[in-house]
Amino acid sequence: RYNTNSDVIKIHFKIFWYIIFNNKKMKKNIIITGGLGFIGSNLIDYFIKKDFRVINIDKISYSSNFYNTKDFINKKKYKFIKCDINNKKKILKILKFFKPEAIFNLAAETHVDRSIDGPEAFINSNILGIFNLLEAFKAFHKSYKKTKLIHISTDEVYGDVLHGRSNEKYPYKPSSPYAASKASSDHL
């Protein structure tokens, strides 16, 4: 039984670590999309400390912050690539060049209030962007079957929680364009 998105993330990490540690010949490249955000940059830091080479793909938007990567910007195990996940051809080139063991997708337009004021950016990024990322991954995965893609979502997809916390057993009930766009990407 899983009570939160963090439980699912922990399970993904356990599966990922099992795969990595049981195949010593694997290169240790990880791609993180949306790595200039708060969560993405912390995930990058985590993997660099675990001796992985991390490729950060970020389109650089209002929520991107290079300050978040200041501690590892000049490290050999870190590479930044400016790219929108909607650019399917460039994403596929990046995947083929780096041949990552895993891709963690944290790229997203965020914030409920912003989505109400301007939902188009959320549709473009959180739905179409994820679709294009998945299409690039599908083409790449034909030749590189061991690579895993882990998509990170939000508890907002379950709607407004009036008491306690969200639960992944709850039905999807998005209540904003942000939540609806994330729910859509979860279903792709």
Side-chain angles (χ1 to χ4, degrees):
R1 297 183 180 179
Y2 310 112
N3 294 325
T4 65
N5 284 340
S6 64
D7 291 335
V8 172
I9 291 171
K10 288 175 190 173
I11 290 167
H12 284 296
F13 278 123
K14 287 179 183 178
I15 293 167
F16 176 73
W17 286 116
Y18 175 80
I19 292 166
I20 294 297
F21 289 124
N22 285 298
N23 191 344
K24 308 280 189 225
K25 295 179 183 177
M26 295 175 97
K27 291 182 184 177
K28 293 168 77 174
N29 286 338
I30 301 288
I31 289 179
I32 296 175
T33 64
L36 290 178
F38 176 74
I39 297 170
S41 60
N42 280 282
L43 190 58
I44 290 169
D45 186 48
Y46 174 82
F47 279 115
I48 287 174
K49 288 177 180 173
K50 294 287 184 184
D51 207 30
F52 285 84
R53 181 171 185 215
V54 180
I55 299 89
N56 175 7
I57 299 173
D58 198 298
K59 73 177 183 179
I60 307 177
S61 69
Y62 72 96
S63 63
S64 301
N65 189 343
F66 281 97
Y67 181 81
N68 294 339
T69 60
K70 69 176 177 44
D71 293 337
F72 44 83
I73 193 97
N74 294 318
K75 292 191 176 189
K76 290 181 181 179
K77 294 196 174 280
Y78 175 76
K79 170 86 175 151
F80 173 76
I81 300 173
K82 180 181 179 188
C83 179
D84 187 328
I85 59 172
N86 268 304
N87 190 335
K88 187 173 21 178
K89 288 181 182 178
K90 188 171 180 180
I91 293 292
L92 183 55
K93 280 184 179 182
I94 294 166
L95 295 176
K96 287 181 176 180
F97 183 81
F98 289 103
K99 299 173 186 67
E101 308 313 318
I103 303 158
F104 289 82
N105 177 47
L106 288 91
E109 293 291 329
T110 60
H111 303 305
V112 170
D113 293 344
R114 285 189 63 252
S115 75
I116 294 166
D117 293 339
E120 185 176 358
F122 290 76
I123 293 166
N124 286 332
S125 212
N126 299 353
I127 300 172
L128 297 175
I130 302 311
F131 173 77
N132 285 309
L133 176 64
L134 289 171
E135 287 293 303
F137 179 73
K138 185 168 64 173
F140 172 76
H141 199 254
K142 289 177 184 176
S143 300
Y144 301 94
K145 301 268 188 219
K146 291 185 178 184
T147 299
K148 305 294 180 203
L149 185 138
I150 299 168
H151 172 70
I152 307 302
S153 188
T154 176
D155 66 347
E156 293 283 339
V157 299
Y158 302 112
D160 300 328
V161 178
L162 303 177
H163 304 290
R165 298 167 44 157
S166 353
N167 185 311
E168 290 182 343
K169 291 181 182 177
Y170 292 171
Y172 275 51
K173 193 176 175 184
S175 59
S176 70
Y178 165 62
S181 69
K182 291 297 285 183
S184 294
S185 67
D186 290 353
H187 285 91
L188 291 176

